[in-house]
Amino acid sequence: MPISSEPLGRSSGQYARAAQHTLHTPPAATNGDACMTCAMRQFCAMNPYEFARTRQMDELVLCQRPAKKGEALYRVGDTFNNLYAVRTGSFKKVSLLSDGREQVTGFYLAGEPLGLDGISTGKYASDAIALEDSTVCIMPFERLEVLSREIKAVSQNVYRVLSAEVVRDGNLMMMLGTMTAEERVATFLLDLSRRLQRRAYSSTEFVLRMTREETGSFLGIKLETVSRTLSRFQKEGLIEVHGKEVRIVDLEGLRAAGHETATGDQPRRPPILASECTAKPV
Amino acid sequence: MPISSEPLGRSSGQYARAAQHTLHTPPAATNGDACMTCAMRQFCAMNPYEFARTRQMDELVLCQRPAKKGEALYRVGDTFNNLYAVRTGSFKKVSLLSDGREQVTGFYLAGEPLGLDGISTGKYASDAIALEDSTVCIMPFERLEVLSREIKAVSQNVYRVLSAEVVRDGNLMMMLGTMTAEERVATFLLDLSRRLQRRAYSSTEFVLRMTREETGSFLGIKLETVSRTLSRFQKEGLIEVHGKEVRIVDLEGLRAAGHETATGDQPRRPPILASECTAKPV
DNA sequence: CGCTGGATTGACTTGCGTCAACATACGTGG
DNA sequence: CCACGTATGTTGACGCAAGTCAATCCAGCG
């Protein structure tokens, strides 16, 4: 059974069953060197000590799973079984309010961890939806727990990844609580740029995989405001925009707009929005 | 050396040294039954299996520490050594933006965990400041790690507590991203009420330990807006306010204002803002 | 090739911020 | 223990950043 053809169903029951299945009968597509052959291995938050531990990580990454654009990896309330690492592509995390309102509460690029909010109650607290055709590595949490009790580096890394998510969320709250629309958009672009750069992509030219509406939802503003602000930045010569394609022209200017205090005081604290885990020991 | 007289210094160096010190030479004030004698033991997020494990927890809670109103337990950038559990009183978590702006990103009541954001980089990412004269239990993270590799319930609980903080932060982001000022204030009151109730305090009459400014900062609105909204709620007969004292008169009305979809659909998802950890196995 | 979802831009509205005056509570020292 | 001064809280008047509504444009896809 090729994993790659298995649909990502909407129904939580269906998905839960699929996950159970993979736990007990690894399909043929599973390989023993998921991490060794992964282009993202040195950026992967779930991979402690970067290269060194990939053999052990391979015990953990049971199989990979594709997700087509728009498909859900999991939904709010689905039974939590696995953590995921984005292998290729990108995802949005969507949270729901009881009255039906929803908000994008995060974007996740290759190497970043998904599903951390499920550990606490045994149900995922958000939806994870692919922004483009993507693949993820599946890490059954039970295996991760066992491995983490055997190998110190693994437990340290899980703690670190979880804590990094807490820090990241705190920074997002700051953005939502204190910044103007202009600052939010600038910060958003700079954060994306930084995260892409880390993955050896261009930090000045990239494609926004999310719509204006998703961007606005994430930033706590309306899509029209996102659009207007991008247009203004273009008029001011800070960036060039053509639909989803963005080129950063004046990095310093953009930093000023985003209020990263103009020039050079980076090292003081972790970058706003970054969910990076640089995988150094605690 | 009585711990209770040790000042909570501003200097990170000073604090780090103090922490090191307690790690190696437990002072006289340390007792072996911190948890057994704790009034909050059944509500404590750090205490797995509620009562059952308190003996093991007592190995972990090295000593307690008082913090007078306004004092910092730790500051941004301080070396991370310990996790804390609020034992009595309450704290605010304050995050900083590089340009000096700051925001309250959380309030913490008895039984709730502090310092989780320090694990990731080895430095705390926020300040923790006492809102009133308070005490905390100190849990050296190194001990917690050791214990968590020995006892499955401990590691599970640490994972759960970290994940619960991620869920909580996600809910806060939703609030900041989608709610009106009125909804935020109502949600804030309802959340406080719920958390106090859990601790066997009155859920309808309580004291706001934070100022209007701190409340506003937390909610992403200005102190005047907090004040006006509280006054409006009072005029509408939802609450009674006298300075910091609040009495909830019309719970359903307040829920409607906070948009918890009027009547009765609670169990669907964890309460907004709650950082509770009910300590069930994962 | 036309349809549909997404993006842009403009005109108008409004919720909340800002500024300011005043009220009250609190803690601090005489 | 009281008195004063500073913190905090309340309320009003006004302005503006961002939301709303709407028209148009554009691009990708069947």
Side-chain angles (χ1 to χ4, degrees):
Chain A
M1 180 189 87
I3 279 292
S4 55
S5 68
E6 185 181 309
L8 288 171
R10 253 203 78 111
S11 139
S12 75
Q14 183 189 341
Y15 178 59
R17 252 180 285 118
Q20 289 292 350
H21 173 72
T22 59
L23 194 67
H24 299 304
T25 56
T30 299
N31 59 45
D33 37 66
C35 292
M36 292 303 273
T37 63
C38 181
M40 283 298 133
R41 65 191 177 286
Q42 69 261 51
F43 312 119
C44 181
M46 296 309 297
N47 185 4
Y49 291 127
E50 302 177 6
F51 285 61
R53 293 278 178 184
T54 44
R55 270 285 152 237
Q56 267 126 345
M57 283 303 286
D58 285 339
E59 293 175 28
L60 180 63
V61 177
L62 197 50
C63 63
Q64 298 162 42
R65 184 177 196 129
K68 279 200 195 151
K69 181 174 176 175
E71 281 181 331
L73 196 55
Y74 52 80
R75 294 262 181 190
V76 174
D78 284 1
T79 301
F80 168 77
N81 286 305
N82 307 314
L83 292 180
Y84 301 91
V86 180
R87 188 173 168 119
T88 64
S90 51
F91 287 79
K92 63 173 173 177
K93 182 167 95 178
V94 181
S95 302
L96 301 174
L97 222 49
S98 55
D99 65 357
R101 275 178 291 188
E102 50 181 67
Q103 188 189 3
V104 175
T105 47
F107 293 117
Y108 293 81
L109 308 184
E112 294 177 344
L114 279 170
L116 301 175
D117 62 15
I119 299 171
S120 134
T121 63
K123 310 256 179 210
Y124 293 105
S126 56
D127 296 352
I129 301 192
L131 292 174
E132 59 192 304
D133 292 358
S134 305
T135 55
V136 295
C137 297
I138 303 182
M139 290 166 283
F141 186 64
E142 284 185 13
R143 288 199 181 203
L144 190 60
E145 276 198 296
V146 170
L147 208 60
S148 82
R149 239 166 288 120
E150 286 167 6
I151 304 166
K152 191 176 175 185
V154 172
S155 70
Q156 286 184 327
N157 198 55
V158 177
Y159 289 141
R160 207 182 304 123
V161 167
L162 277 160
S163 174
E165 190 78 357
V166 172
V167 173
R168 166 201 167 101
D169 287 350
N171 288 330
L172 287 174
M173 283 178 58
M174 292 258 359
M175 182 194 70
L176 291 169
T178 67
M179 286 189 176
T180 66
E182 179 167 306
E183 287 166 348
R184 293 179 202 201
V185 174
T187 302
F188 169 70
L189 292 174
L190 291 167
D191 176 60
L192 256 189
S193 162
R194 209 154 9 191
R195 282 154 75 191
L196 290 168
Q197 183 169 38
R198 239 174 209 270
R199 271 146 255 271
Y201 292 114
S202 167
S203 68
T204 55
E205 257 172 293
F206 47 88
V207 175
L208 300 172
R209 298 295 177 178
M210 59 295 290
T211 66
R212 297 289 188 267
E213 180 160 29
E214 288 162 342
T215 307
S217 170
F218 176 66
L219 298 176
I221 58 183
K222 294 285 137 171
L223 74 164
E224 294 95 329
T225 306
V226 175
S227 186
R228 274 186 246 274
T229 307
L230 289 174
S231 298
R232 182 145 26 90
F233 284 166
Q234 181 164 41
K235 210 176 300 173
E236 289 165 0
L238 302 179
I239 62 173
E240 278 171 27
V241 215
H242 304 98
K244 294 197 182 307
E245 280 157 46
V246 173
R247 198 165 76 83
I248 296 180
V249 177
D250 179 358
L251 191 64
E252 281 310 312
L254 201 58
R255 288 213 179 108
H259 268 125
E260 308 213 358
T261 337
T263 39
D265 60 340
Q266 275 101 38
R268 215 202 135 199
R269 41 180 27 253
I272 306 291
L273 311 195
S275 73
E276 310 293 337
C277 171
T278 45
K280 277 175 282 179
V282 177
Chain B
M1 179 190 88
I3 278 291
S4 55
S5 69
E6 185 181 309
L8 289 171
R10 254 203 77 108
S11 137
S12 75
Q14 183 188 343
Y15 178 61
R17 252 181 284 118
Q20 288 291 349
H21 173 71
T22 60
L23 194 67
H24 300 304
T25 55
T30 298
N31 59 46
D33 38 66
C35 292
M36 293 302 274
T37 64
C38 181
M40 282 298 133
R41 65 189 176 287
Q42 68 262 52
F43 312 120
C44 182
M46 296 309 295
N47 185 4
Y49 290 128
E50 303 177 7
F51 286 62
R53 295 279 179 186
T54 43
R55 271 284 152 239
Q56 267 127 345
M57 282 305 285
D58 284 340
E59 292 175 28
L60 180 62
V61 176
L62 198 51
C63 62
Q64 297 162 42
R65 183 179 196 128
K68 281 199 195 153
K69 181 175 174 172
E71 281 182 332
L73 197 56
Y74 52 79
R75 294 262 181 190
V76 174
D78 285 1
T79 301
F80 167 76
N81 285 304
N82 307 314
L83 292 181
Y84 301 89
V86 180
R87 188 173 169 117
T88 65
S90 51
F91 287 78
K92 63 173 173 178
K93 181 166 96 177
V94 181
S95 301
L96 302 173
L97 221 50
S98 56
D99 65 357
R101 275 178 291 188
E102 51 181 66
Q103 188 189 2
V104 174
T105 48
F107 294 117
Y108 294 82
L109 308 184
E112 294 177 343
L114 279 170
L116 301 175
D117 63 14
I119 299 170
S120 136
T121 63
K123 311 257 182 209
Y124 293 105
S126 55
D127 295 352
I129 302 193
L131 292 174
E132 59 192 305
D133 292 359
S134 306
T135 54
V136 294
C137 297
I138 303 181
M139 290 165 283
F141 186 64
E142 284 186 13
R143 287 198 181 205
L144 192 59
E145 276 199 296
V146 170
L147 208 60
S148 81
R149 238 165 290 120
E150 286 167 7
I151 304 168
K152 191 177 175 187
V154 172
S155 69
Q156 286 184 327
N157 198 55
V158 177
Y159 289 142
R160 208 181 304 122
V161 166
L162 277 159
S163 174
E165 190 78 357
V166 172
V167 173
R168 167 200 168 99
D169 287 351
N171 288 330
L172 287 173
M173 283 178 57
M174 291 258 358
M175 182 195 69
L176 291 169
T178 66
M179 286 188 176
T180 65
E182 181 167 303
E183 289 166 346
R184 294 180 202 201
V185 175
T187 303
F188 170 71
L189 292 174
L190 290 167
D191 176 61
L192 256 189
S193 163
R194 209 156 6 193
R195 282 155 74 192
L196 289 168
Q197 184 170 36
R198 235 174 211 273
R199 272 146 254 273
Y201 292 115
S202 167
S203 68
T204 56
E205 259 172 292
F206 46 88
V207 175
L208 300 172
R209 298 296 177 177
M210 60 295 289
T211 66
R212 297 289 187 266
E213 180 159 30
E214 287 162 342
T215 307
S217 170
F218 175 65
L219 298 176
I221 57 184
K222 294 286 137 170
L223 73 163
E224 294 95 328
T225 305
V226 175
S227 185
R228 274 186 246 274
T229 306
L230 289 174
S231 299
R232 183 145 25 92
F233 284 166
Q234 182 163 43
K235 212 176 298 171
E236 290 165 358
L238 303 178
I239 62 173
E240 278 171 28
V241 215
H242 304 98
K244 295 197 182 306
E245 279 157 48
V246 173
R247 196 165 80 82
I248 296 179
V249 177
D250 179 358
L251 190 64
E252 280 311 310
L254 201 57
R255 287 214 181 108
H259 268 126
E260 308 213 359
T261 336
T263 39
D265 62 338
Q266 274 101 40
R268 214 201 136 202
R269 40 177 33 251
I272 307 290
L273 310 194
S275 74
E276 310 294 338
C277 170
T278 45
K280 276 174 282 179
V282 176

